[in-house]
């Protein structure tokens, strides 16, 4: 473990009024520090106890304090967690009390960085923790918690070991060219290579799908003025997101709202719609509607009558006619809804999600650009391997190993020599 010089602290919970708030302290002075500001003078390791935080002999707050002894803590260092009452004044006072002790405020992610440096977490696990903290929907959470169990590292190590075996076999051809090598070795090398790059291809495919889960789907609402676009947005959000009036042209700018529908993230964008404009505000609003429609995954077009042909240039769309409660006349190819009675809205949501929903993803996925770039580079190298140019083939495998190992940052080319002699029976 590499010891860090200073001791850091941070509020681990959101700043604001809440039942409790939690402070974290990490570093070699944690134990000394907590004793110097506590009513308790002895802290049993990894045990929570009732403890008054004291500043200049007066009680700041009654807390639950836990001391974690290195290396059995999140960061691997000595750590303290203080669960205090969650008021702004308590949070401020404890912050001041801690700052007087010459420990410093932690940088963003510094606890996890220390955990990483102290080998409590792998690079991939540290990245996943961030995904878990930022997960907004059920599917994002599922992916992050699945990845936290170390299965990304397992995947990388498995691919890396297969690549090293492949390299060992290729190097055997180079090093022992004059000796009797089994004829099947060329076939075996090709098969091994194909097996590796297929695995990489699959995980890249799965990971791209997971990125959609991360960023979610964008759905833009367009249509003539007064067709009930904003009322629909307010109905599904169950609150006044957009202004609704009977004046045509009420909505002028884009109004976004995000919903979790069956575990997926959907961002609905209410717009001014697409129509003739009378002034500059309307012109800009309509321009923005078109831009939003262009970048969205699905567009919902609210119809007044049967003006479907006006929207022939709009990609992936479904048509809707609202106000069913007052006008039951249906339009062919459009779903009827009402934002007053709720008629047809469940069905419309079903249509939207079945249009967009991808198969649920199982198994490890890589969510970061850094990972996907390395996987892609490694894939290109492996696919280019030609055993007629054996030296170049070996070099390509070596470089592809570098990219794969770079994902969880361990690179040990020496191991390959061991594999040649342990795993391959030369001279037999
Ligand atoms: N009865 C009934 N009235 C509705 C329904 N949806 C909207 N309205 C009314 O229709 C009028 C226009 O509704 P909005 O939701 O503002 O329509 P919009 O398409 O957003 O209009 P713009 O923003 O002007 O483009 C308002 O008076 C709403 O109360 C509905 O389902 N039933
Ligand atoms: Mg509107």
């Amino acid at each position: 473990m590499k010891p860090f010089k200073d001791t850091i602290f941070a509020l681990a919970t959101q700043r604001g009024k809440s039942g409790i708030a939690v402070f974290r302290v990490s570093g070699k002075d944690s134990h000394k520090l907590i004793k110097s500001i506590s009513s308790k003078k002895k802290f049993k390791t990894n045990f929570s106890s009732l403890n008054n935080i004291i500043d200049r002999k007066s009680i700041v707050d009654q807390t639950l304090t836990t001391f974690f002894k290195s290396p059995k803590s999140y960061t691997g260092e000595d750590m303290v967690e203080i669960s205090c009452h969650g008021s702004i004044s308590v949070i401020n006072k404890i912050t001041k009390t801690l700052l007087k002790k010459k420990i410093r405020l932690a940088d963003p992610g510094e606890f996890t960085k220390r955990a990483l440096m102290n080998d409590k977490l792998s690079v991939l696990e540290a990245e996943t923790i961030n995904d878990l903290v930022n997960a907004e929907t059920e599917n994002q959470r599922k992916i992050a918690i699945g990845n936290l169990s170390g299965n990304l590292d397992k995947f990388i190590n498995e691919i890396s070991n297969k690549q090293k075996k492949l390299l060992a076999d290729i190097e055997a051809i180079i090093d022992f060219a004059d000796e009797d090598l089994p004829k099947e070795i060329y076939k075996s090398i090709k098969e091994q290579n194909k097996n590796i790059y297929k695995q990489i291809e699959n995980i890249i495919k799965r990971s791209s799908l997971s990125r959609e889960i991360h960023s979610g789907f964008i759905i833009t609402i367009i249509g003539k003025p007064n067709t009930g676009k904003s009322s629909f947005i307010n109905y599904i959000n169950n609150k006044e997101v957009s202004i609704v009036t009977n004046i045509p042209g009420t909505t002028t700018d884009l109004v976004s709202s995000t919903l979790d529908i069956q575990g997926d993230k959907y961002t609905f964008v209410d717009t001014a719609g697409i129509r003739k404009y009378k002034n500059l505000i309307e012109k800009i609003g309509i321009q923005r509607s078109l831009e939003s429609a262009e970048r969205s995954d699905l567009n919902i077009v609210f119809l007044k009558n049967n003006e479907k042909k006006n929207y022939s240039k709009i990609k992936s769309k479904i048509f809707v006619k609202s106000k069913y409660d007052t006008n039951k006349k249906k339009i062919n190819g459009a779903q009827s809804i009402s934002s007053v009675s709720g008629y047809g809205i469940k069905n419309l949501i079903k249509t939207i999600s079945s249009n967009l929903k991808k198969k649920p993803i199982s198994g490890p996925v890589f969510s970061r650009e850094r990972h996907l770039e390395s996987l892609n580079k490694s894939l290109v190298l492996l696919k280019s391997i030609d055993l007629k140019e054996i030296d170049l083939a070996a070099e390509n495998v070596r470089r592809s190993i570098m990219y794969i190992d770079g994902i969880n940052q361990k690179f040990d080319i020496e191991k390959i020599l061991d594999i040649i002699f342990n795993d391959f029976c030369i001279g037999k």
Side-chain angles (χ1 to χ4, degrees), residues 30-163:
S30 301
H31 192 225
K32 201 166 80 189
L33 170 116
I34 193 63
K35 282 200 301 185
S36 74
I37 57 164
S38 294
S39 57
K40 266 185 92 74
K41 290 300 161 215
K42 264 198 170 148
F43 288 92
K44 201 173 154 191
T45 302
N46 301 347
F47 214 83
S48 298
S49 49
L50 202 61
N51 172 45
N52 289 334
I53 297 292
I54 310 282
D55 179 47
R56 287 196 211 149
K57 295 191 180 148
S58 67
I59 297 175
V60 173
D61 190 22
Q62 201 175 60
T63 74
L64 202 59
T65 302
T66 316
F67 171 63
F68 301 93
K69 180 113 191 79
S70 169
K72 288 188 176 173
S73 73
Y74 179 72
T75 58
E77 302 175 319
D78 279 358
M79 272 188 90
V80 171
E81 270 184 25
I82 305 166
S83 301
C84 60
H85 292 99
S87 70
I88 300 278
S89 61
V90 169
I91 291 170
N92 285 345
K93 185 71 183 169
I94 293 186
T95 304
K96 276 188 193 152
T97 310
L98 289 169
L99 278 174
K100 269 194 231 162
K101 293 292 161 183
K102 294 196 178 78
I103 65 173
R104 72 168 169 84
L105 267 169
D107 294 330
E110 200 173 356
F111 290 92
T112 304
K113 191 174 161 197
R114 288 190 175 197
L116 180 71
M117 302 308 277
N118 292 329
D119 290 329
K120 296 293 288 189
L121 289 172
S122 73
V123 180
L124 288 167
E125 284 169 337
E127 285 170 323
T128 301
I129 282 183
N130 203 27
D131 291 344
L132 191 57
V133 171
N134 290 318
E136 287 175 302
T137 66
E138 177 62 2
N139 284 338
Q140 290 173 355
R141 182 195 64 77
K142 272 189 195 158
I143 290 176
I145 198 73
N147 285 348
L148 198 57
S149 59
N151 59 10
L152 292 184
D153 288 289
K154 221 170 110 197
F155 176 86
I156 291 298
N157 293 337
E158 187 190 319
I159 292 288
S160 174
N161 287 336
K162 284 183 180 176
Q163 284 174 311

Side-chain angles (χ1 to χ4, degrees), residues 230 243 251 270-271:
S230 301
I243 300 170
T251 310
D270 187 15
T271 70

Side-chain angles (χ1 to χ4, degrees), residues 224-231 243-251 272 322-323 325-326 338-340:
K224 286 191 172 181
N226 252 352
T227 46
K229 301 181 292 298
S230 301
S231 303
I243 300 170
V244 167
T245 72
N246 58 4
I247 305 162
T250 304
T251 310
S322 191
K323 312 195 190 182
D325 53 301
T326 54
S338 164
S339 304
V340 170

Side-chain angles (χ1 to χ4, degrees), residues 216-390:
F217 302 109
I218 299 175
I219 298 158
T220 298
I221 317 291
I222 52 173
K224 286 191 172 181
N226 252 352
T227 46
K229 301 181 292 298
S230 301
S231 303
F232 166 70
I233 288 292
N234 291 348
Y235 185 92
I236 57 172
N237 278 285
N238 208 10
K239 64 177 184 214
E240 295 278 314
V241 176
S242 288
I243 300 170
V244 167
T245 72
N246 58 4
I247 305 162
T250 304
T251 310
T252 50
D253 211 342
L254 304 182
V255 183
S256 294
S257 52
T258 298
L259 287 179
D260 178 344
I261 301 174
Q262 289 160 13
D264 283 315
K265 180 178 167 186
Y266 291 80
T267 302
F268 286 86
V269 188
D270 187 15
T271 70
I274 295 165
R275 55 191 151 95
K276 293 199 182 81
Y277 55 84
K278 292 190 213 78
N279 60 44
L280 185 62
I281 301 172
E282 287 187 358
K283 184 183 172 185
I284 298 170
I286 292 160
Q287 186 57 36
R288 289 190 180 170
S289 311
L290 283 168
E291 284 163 10
S292 178
E294 193 52 43
R295 63 172 177 263
S296 63
D297 300 289
L298 185 70
N299 293 294
I300 307 181
V301 185
F302 275 62
L303 296 174
K304 193 169 178 191
N305 298 303
N306 203 343
E307 68 275 17
K308 280 191 242 154
K309 60 176 183 340
N310 296 1
Y311 303 96
S312 56
K313 288 208 179 104
I314 300 293
K315 54 160 203 176
S316 55
K317 56 188 172 261
I318 49 180
F319 292 105
V320 164
K321 172 149 189 307
S322 191
K323 312 195 190 182
Y324 184 77
D325 53 301
T326 54
N327 180 356
K328 305 241 171 341
K329 204 174 146 214
K330 298 217 170 185
I331 299 175
N332 226 349
Q335 278 185 246
S336 290
I337 63 158
S338 164
S339 304
V340 170
S341 69
Y343 175 87
I345 290 190
K346 254 194 188 156
N347 260 342
L348 178 58
I349 296 288
K350 241 189 231 166
T351 311
I352 295 169
S353 69
S354 63
N355 250 280
L356 296 172
K357 209 174 172 58
K358 305 282 186 299
K359 271 193 190 160
I361 297 164
S362 60
V365 291
F366 290 91
S367 56
R368 275 155 216 271
E369 213 48 61
R370 179 180 85 77
H371 307 152
L372 289 170
E373 201 184 303
S374 298
L375 288 167
N376 269 314
K377 282 184 174 158
S378 183
L379 178 67
V380 169
L381 286 165
L382 293 175
K383 279 186 130 176
S384 73
I385 283 172
D386 179 357
L387 294 183
K388 282 184 207 110
E389 295 182 75
I390 198 74

